[in-house]
Amino acid sequence: MTIKADSTVIRICVGSTNPVKVNAAKQAFSQTFPDHIIHCEEMHAPSDVADQPMTEAETRLGAQNRARYCFEQNDFADHGSKAMGFCVAMEGGVDEFEEGAATFAYVAIVNSDGHLMTGRSANLPLPSKVYAQLLAGKELGVVMDALFNTNNIRQKGGAIGLLTNHAATRESIYTQALILALAPALHPQHYL
């Protein structure tokens, strides 16, 4: 990558140490801001919701809590006037809809001014036997590892990768949701 002398740096703090989430943030910002230098940091950020969120509201809150925590821990002013800053978080969850149980993700982005942008991924239908185990208190990654004989799938393709034969992955879904949530940052004049 050739860095121009006048390139603007975008500093991202990802509210997770999960490589899938960190890579999704890097991909989303690299695609959305192709002429910028992307500097990505990771940090553990508490969601303050259940390890396996079971509703849309809980999942959304978990992503927003993680992004806000990152924002509170960062001082973007210390990184120079040419640096833009964003705090990014992703939270996977499940819920039951009219069409049946599904998994999805919420993403939350807080810019350096403290403005919160929230987005959501598409739904992935879940088999009823998987959803029953989630209702019994298990986490989706654990259930999928047992069902597909995998190990730590949540830090790889996730349930999405397994159930779509890797046509989509957890990372690709997070990336797409983040890109869509960044629309107000790209065109703030239209989101007043």
Side-chain angles (χ1 to χ4, degrees):
M1 167 179 170
T2 304
I3 299 175
K4 301 177 204 170
D6 63 345
S7 293
T8 301
V9 175
I10 296 179
R11 183 172 164 255
I12 307 164
C13 179
V14 181
S16 177
T17 59
N18 183 326
V20 169
K21 293 180 178 183
V22 174
N23 289 335
K26 287 178 189 174
Q27 286 296 317
F29 279 82
S30 294
Q31 290 177 41
T32 306
F33 299 98
D35 297 328
H36 292 69
I37 300 164
I38 308 299
H39 176 72
C40 193
E41 301 168 3
E42 60 188 56
M43 76 174 344
H44 171 74
S47 68
D48 295 327
V49 298
D51 289 340
Q52 178 59 73
M54 295 298 292
T55 66
E56 278 193 284
E58 186 180 23
T59 307
R60 182 176 190 254
L61 180 61
Q64 291 175 339
N65 286 345
R66 289 180 195 270
R68 287 183 178 122
Y69 178 87
C70 290
F71 181 76
E72 291 166 3
Q73 303 304 310
N74 280 277
D75 183 5
F76 292 109
D78 288 344
H79 296 279
S81 60
K82 292 199 74 154
M84 288 194 299
F86 295 90
C87 294
V88 178
M90 293 143 264
E91 188 77 26
V94 298
D95 207 338
E96 189 161 19
F97 301 94
E98 188 176 329
E99 301 80 17
T103 185
F104 49 86
Y106 267 93
V107 299
I109 304 165
V110 179
N111 70 12
S112 55
D113 294 329
H115 176 73
L116 175 67
M117 297 165 273
T118 304
R120 187 187 183 286
S121 75
N123 281 355
L124 172 73
L126 288 175
S128 57
K129 65 182 177 181
V130 169
Y131 187 60
Q133 291 184 59
L134 301 178
L135 289 173
K138 293 188 178 179
E139 286 187 53
L140 182 58
V142 173
V143 174
M144 297 307 291
D145 279 339
L147 186 64
F148 282 86
N149 196 30
T150 54
N151 183 32
N152 199 17
I153 197 64
R154 61 182 242 153
Q155 291 195 355
K156 298 172 189 164
I160 294 164
L162 292 173
L163 292 172
T164 66
N165 291 337
H166 299 282
T169 63
R170 192 173 189 208
E171 184 176 321
S172 70
I173 297 304
Y174 287 153
T175 300
Q176 182 186 51
L178 286 167
I179 290 169
L180 296 177
L182 280 166
L186 294 170
H187 300 280
Q189 70 278 16
H190 300 302
Y191 289 88
L192 300 174

